[in-house]
Amino acid sequence: MANSAQARKRARQAVVARAHNGSLRSRLRTAIKAVQKAVVGGDKAAAQAVFRTSTSTIDSIADKKIIHKNKAARHKSRLSAAVKAMAA
């Protein structure tokens, strides 16, 4: 597999990066689920508050290139539509 010292180091770094990226992806999924749960809960004000915090989380993860910016925009758009569709 990795024979040179440089390749071995790169393999070690990849393990750390993969773990870090996985934790960020998990944070993304948690943020999305929090908004969906708030929408199902029925409280529009609470859903809007959770949506605002989740939006910043989604954007920061897209900025780090963990997910593509279009995927981030798609998630934000769908969550926003769900919050707006709630009865006031």
Side-chain angles (χ1 to χ4, degrees), residues 1-14:
M1 192 175 151
N3 292 325
S4 69
Q6 183 179 8
R8 284 193 300 273
K9 179 178 180 179
R10 199 67 194 111
R12 286 195 309 270
Q13 289 175 327

Side-chain angles (χ1 to χ4, degrees), residues 74-88:
R74 184 172 62 245
H75 280 299
K76 290 191 304 182
S77 176
R78 288 179 182 168
L79 292 174
S80 175
V83 171
K84 285 181 183 177
M86 292 177 70

Side-chain angles (χ1 to χ4, degrees), residues 1-79:
M1 192 175 151
N3 292 325
S4 69
Q6 183 179 8
R8 284 193 300 273
K9 179 178 180 179
R10 199 67 194 111
R12 286 195 309 270
Q13 289 175 327
V15 170
V16 174
R18 179 175 161 80
H20 184 252
N21 292 343
S23 71
L24 290 176
R25 212 170 285 113
S26 174
R27 225 171 74 198
L28 170 77
R29 291 192 202 105
T30 302
I32 291 168
K33 286 177 191 172
V35 176
Q36 291 170 339
K37 186 175 179 182
V39 168
V40 171
D43 186 6
K44 189 166 187 172
Q48 287 172 331
V50 173
F51 174 70
R52 272 193 295 278
T53 58
S54 294
T55 299
S56 69
T57 301
I58 293 168
D59 282 334
S60 71
I61 290 171
D63 288 341
K64 294 177 172 106
K65 298 189 172 145
I66 304 302
I67 62 169
H68 195 274
K69 62 180 181 171
N70 290 358
K71 180 174 180 170
R74 184 172 62 245
H75 280 299
K76 290 191 304 182
S77 176
R78 288 179 182 168
L79 292 174

